[in-house]
Amino acid sequence: KQVQKAILFIFILPATAIWKMKPFINWVSCSHIIHHAPIISIMHPEDYSTVSGIANIRAAASDVSGITKVEFFVDDYLLGTTTTLPYSIDCDTDALMHNSTHIIYAKAYDAAENITTSNSITVMVVDTLGPVIAITNPSNKQEVSGSDVVISAEAFDISEILKVEFYVDNILIGTSTSSPYAVTWDTT
């Protein structure tokens, strides 16, 4: 067997010397690629804004090697992922507690497997829908009389029900602040 040996010589030469020797050197090309992390920022909604219903969350992300995906988080819970521009996702705020604050941020992933977490923003989810209420007593078109007619209702809202006001012919006859919501009406 014949053993091949290679000896590596490293020369430090001025650039002009290398240029003059170029025709005699068999160049070996090597590349050194610096992979920078992506850049990402939440663009919408604005920090400390109020949101309700279906809120669109948008991020701007860029990287020289390309963005492969953007993940959106609400309170450290993965809301969803997108792989195409524009980087956005809808959030159904009705699934969140109303009149409370929530932290939103995003993560960008690039083709070189670098990850960057965006700025965090704080939003307040507000309840824009009124409560749902139904009179449970008396029934529709039922005739009532006397000094102790009980009027009752069921009320529901994603936020807390503070009170139920009862009106007869646009005149307030009573208020109830706890369930079961009811008042007594004097028809005399």
Side-chain angles (χ1 to χ4, degrees):
K1 282 186 172 178
Q2 184 178 10
V3 178
Q4 294 183 352
K5 292 184 182 180
I7 300 173
L8 177 62
F9 292 98
I10 300 176
F11 297 98
I12 300 176
L13 300 171
T16 55
I18 293 174
W19 183 255
K20 290 178 185 176
M21 294 175 59
K22 187 174 180 181
F24 306 104
I25 299 174
N26 185 7
W27 291 96
V28 177
S29 118
C30 64
S31 62
H32 177 70
I33 300 172
I34 299 173
H35 295 286
H36 295 283
I39 298 170
I40 184 165
S41 180
I42 297 289
M43 303 306 291
H44 183 79
E46 292 182 16
D47 200 11
Y48 297 106
S49 62
T50 58
V51 294
S52 62
I54 303 298
N56 183 259
I57 303 168
R58 287 190 310 268
S62 64
D63 187 81
V64 294
S65 64
I67 299 295
T68 57
K69 70 178 176 179
V70 173
E71 295 176 332
F72 291 91
F73 294 83
V74 175
D75 299 328
D76 293 326
Y77 170 77
L78 177 61
L79 179 63
T81 303
T82 184
T83 58
T84 58
L85 285 168
Y87 302 118
S88 68
I89 196 162
D90 288 334
C91 175
D92 183 1
T93 64
D94 289 334
L96 301 171
M97 180 183 287
H98 285 109
N99 302 321
S100 62
T101 58
H102 300 275
I103 305 296
I104 297 173
Y105 63 92
K107 289 184 179 180
Y109 295 75
D110 70 9
E113 299 181 6
N114 294 309
I115 305 168
T116 300
T117 301
S118 75
N119 57 309
S120 294
I121 63 165
T122 301
V123 295
M124 167 74 91
V125 174
V126 294
D127 182 6
T128 59
L129 301 174
V132 175
I133 189 164
I135 301 291
T136 56
N137 189 58
S139 60
N140 192 23
K141 297 185 181 184
Q142 179 183 344
E143 290 187 28
V144 294
S145 62
S147 60
D148 58 352
V149 175
V150 174
I151 302 175
S152 59
E154 290 180 348
F156 172 78
D157 192 71
I158 197 142
S159 300
E160 180 182 8
I161 299 288
L162 298 177
K163 65 181 177 178
V164 174
E165 295 177 336
F166 292 86
Y167 291 83
V168 173
D169 296 327
N170 293 323
I171 298 172
L172 178 66
I173 61 162
T175 301
S176 179
T177 58
S178 61
S179 181
Y181 302 104
V183 294
T184 302
W185 176 39
D186 184 356
T187 65
T188 57

